[in-house]
């Protein structure tokens, strides 16, 4: 991943934390009792939905809810670590690092987000349980940040991914003919709530709270692959391989993307063909943009490097753009799911603002 704040987030960078994070949290999450749940709800500013749950779900709906639950649990881990680092003045998260933000306001805001993410996870898991599916236990997580600035940028990025994925989930639940159609309004409320969070993350970085008129769409497969960058391999009690979604090979962006037409440098661990493959960009709610891979592929150590145009001025949106290396060089790709079906390397996460 490459971000326009000059921060490169890679899995090789260890998080700086006050103490190793483990579940359960102090309030019993992910299995709180009634008293603990009431405490979480008070901190979140609202309660779990008591709407009727579907008694059965189609297999695709189960898959997407397993993804959502895993994603929400990872966010609980991330924001709990972040809150601990701030409140215990870990270097990089102390008053100097968070200035000029008011510390009390910041702690209050992130505390609310922690509790809201707990309810998101419990809500998604409740839908699964109501349809007879087993509970999902947390994995171990390693977030590639070492200070407050990096943490807020990462929070913005994975929230951008969620904002692009949730509409796809709504479409699935509305059209699969199962009981999940009842959850479409619930997912809409989560989508709006995550948008509020994203505006906060952007404001903290002194960015315009709303990035663009239409946010970048994605696919469940891209979100699933991105999530695994923060999960310690082999640490999930229920292997992630049981979730019926593909995992793509990593696509790394080497140079700094900017809000202009330019050439981007990529690296992958594998083979790339400028004759048989191309790079596709997803940005805003526009049709996918396909560009050729330049035939200047080079090997550097175990990685293969290549370049492709980044036509930002062709109508790309501020905020998140997703890049993918796909099979094929011609023909239309109508939407993010069509892109995912022919993807080899992805997602390349580009934040331009």
């Amino acid at each position: 991943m490459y971000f326009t704040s000059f921060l490169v987030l890679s899995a090789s960078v260890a998080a700086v934390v006050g103490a190793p994070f483990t579940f359960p949290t102090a309030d019993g999450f992910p299995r709180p009792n009634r008293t603990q749940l009431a405490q979480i709800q008070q901190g979140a500013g609202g309660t779990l939905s008591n709407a009727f749950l579907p008694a059965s779900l189609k297999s695709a709906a189960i898959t997407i809810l397993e993804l959502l639950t895993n994603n929400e649990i990872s966010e609980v881990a991330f924001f709990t670590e972040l809150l601990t680092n701030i409140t215990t003045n870990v270097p990089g998260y102390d008053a100097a690092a968070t200035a000029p933000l008011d510390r009390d306001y910041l702690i209050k805001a992130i505390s609310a987000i922690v509790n809201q993410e707990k309810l998101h996870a419990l809500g998604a898991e409740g839908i699964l349980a109501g349809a007879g599916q087993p509970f999902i236990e947390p994995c171990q997580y390693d977030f590639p940040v070492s200070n407050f600035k990096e943490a807020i940028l990462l929070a913005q990025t994975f929230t951008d991914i969620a904002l692009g994925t949730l509409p796809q989930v709504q479409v699935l639940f509305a059209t699969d003919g199962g009981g999940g159609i009842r959850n479409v309004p619930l997912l809409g409320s989560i989508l709006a709530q995550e948008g509020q969070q994203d505006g906060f993350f952007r404001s903290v970085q002194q960015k315009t709270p709303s990035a663009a008129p239409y946010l970048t769409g994605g696919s469940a497969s891209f979100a699933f692959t991105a999530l695994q960058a923060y999960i310690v391999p082999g640490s999930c009690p229920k292997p992630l391989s049981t979730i019926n979604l593909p995992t793509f090979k990593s696509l790394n962006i080497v140079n700094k993307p900017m809000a202009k037409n330019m050439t981007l440098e990529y690296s992958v661990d594998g083979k790339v063909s400028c004759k048989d493959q191309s790079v596709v960009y997803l940005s805003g709610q526009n049709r996918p943009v396909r560009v050729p891979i330049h035939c200047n592929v080079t090997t550097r150590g175990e990685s293969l490097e290549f370049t492709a145009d980044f036509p930002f001025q062709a109508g790309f949106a501020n905020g998140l753009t997703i890049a993918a290396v796909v099979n094929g060089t011609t023909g239309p790709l109508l939407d993010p799911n069509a892109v995912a079906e022919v993807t080899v390397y992805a997602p390349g996460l580009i934040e331009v603002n």
Side-chain angles (χ1 to χ4, degrees):
M1 293 177 280
Y2 204 111
F3 303 88
T4 56
S5 62
F6 295 93
L7 296 177
V8 182
L9 304 184
S10 71
S12 62
V13 182
V16 175
V17 296
F21 175 81
T22 57
F23 284 107
T25 58
D27 53 21
F29 180 88
R31 302 288 170 260
N33 59 34
R34 289 181 179 238
T35 300
Q36 292 169 325
L37 177 58
Q39 175 187 342
I40 293 170
Q41 292 178 145
Q42 183 176 9
T47 67
L48 279 171
S49 171
N50 63 359
F52 292 105
L53 300 177
S56 63
L57 293 167
K58 296 292 185 70
S59 60
I62 292 171
T63 295
I64 207 70
L65 283 166
E66 290 174 335
L67 167 62
L68 291 179
T69 303
N70 275 286
N71 189 68
E72 299 292 1
I73 293 173
S74 77
E75 292 187 12
V76 172
F78 175 84
F79 288 114
T80 302
E81 280 192 356
L82 176 58
L83 182 62
T84 299
N85 290 346
I86 293 171
T87 56
T88 58
N89 292 301
V90 169
Y93 300 86
D94 53 17
T98 59
L101 297 170
D102 179 83
R103 294 276 288 180
D104 290 339
Y105 167 73
L106 182 62
I107 290 169
K108 181 179 179 181
I110 295 177
S111 295
I113 290 172
V114 169
N115 287 297
Q116 289 158 2
E117 296 301 343
K118 288 175 181 176
L119 293 187
H120 288 173
L122 292 171
E125 194 170 59
I127 297 171
L128 283 169
Q133 300 301 307
F135 288 116
I136 293 175
E137 300 299 331
C139 308
Q140 296 177 18
Y141 306 93
D142 184 12
F143 300 102
V145 296
S146 60
N147 58 57
F148 177 73
K149 184 178 180 180
E150 293 176 357
I152 291 298
L153 180 56
L154 179 58
Q156 175 198 323
T157 303
F158 63 60
T159 304
D160 283 341
I161 296 169
L163 290 171
T165 305
L166 283 168
Q168 300 285 346
V169 181
Q170 288 180 295
V171 170
L172 170 65
F173 281 174
T175 58
D176 75 350
I181 192 170
R182 290 180 176 176
N183 299 315
V184 173
L186 176 66
L187 289 164
S189 71
I190 295 173
L191 177 62
Q193 195 273 346
E194 295 283 352
Q196 291 180 329
Q197 287 188 27
D198 208 32
F200 168 71
F201 303 142
R202 293 178 58 83
S203 295
V204 165
Q205 300 170 82
Q206 298 186 324
K207 298 177 181 178
T208 305
S210 52
Y214 303 102
L215 301 183
T216 295
S219 77
S221 301
F222 291 152
F224 184 53
T225 301
L227 169 64
Q228 292 176 68
Y230 318 130
I231 294 177
V232 176
S235 70
C236 300
K238 182 180 180 181
L240 292 175
S241 59
T242 63
I243 298 178
N244 189 28
L245 289 170
T247 298
F248 302 115
K249 299 177 183 178
S250 297
L251 176 62
N252 304 304
I253 301 164
V254 178
N255 60 332
K256 175 191 172 186
M258 294 180 285
K260 66 177 186 178
N261 293 343
M262 61 179 293
T263 298
L264 282 185
E265 300 171 14
Y266 295 94
S267 70
V268 298
D269 292 333
K271 296 181 179 180
V272 169
S273 170
C274 64
K275 296 181 179 179
D276 301 317
Q277 295 174 321
S278 55
V279 171
V280 172
Y281 296 105
L282 302 174
S283 192
Q285 287 295 311
N286 299 313
R287 297 173 186 172
V289 174
R290 187 200 297 265
V291 300
I293 294 172
H294 298 161
C295 289
N296 57 353
V297 178
T298 60
T299 301
R300 195 179 301 275
E302 296 182 357
S303 297
L304 186 148
E305 295 186 354
F306 61 95
T307 60
D309 290 342
F310 179 59
F312 181 84
Q313 292 166 276
F316 284 23
N318 283 337
L320 177 67
T321 291
I322 298 174
V325 173
V326 305
N327 287 324
T329 59
T330 61
L333 294 169
L334 300 182
D335 56 34
N337 288 329
V339 174
E341 288 177 0
V342 292
T343 289
V344 180
Y345 301 97
L349 303 178
I350 303 168
E351 287 282 357
V352 172
N353 201 48

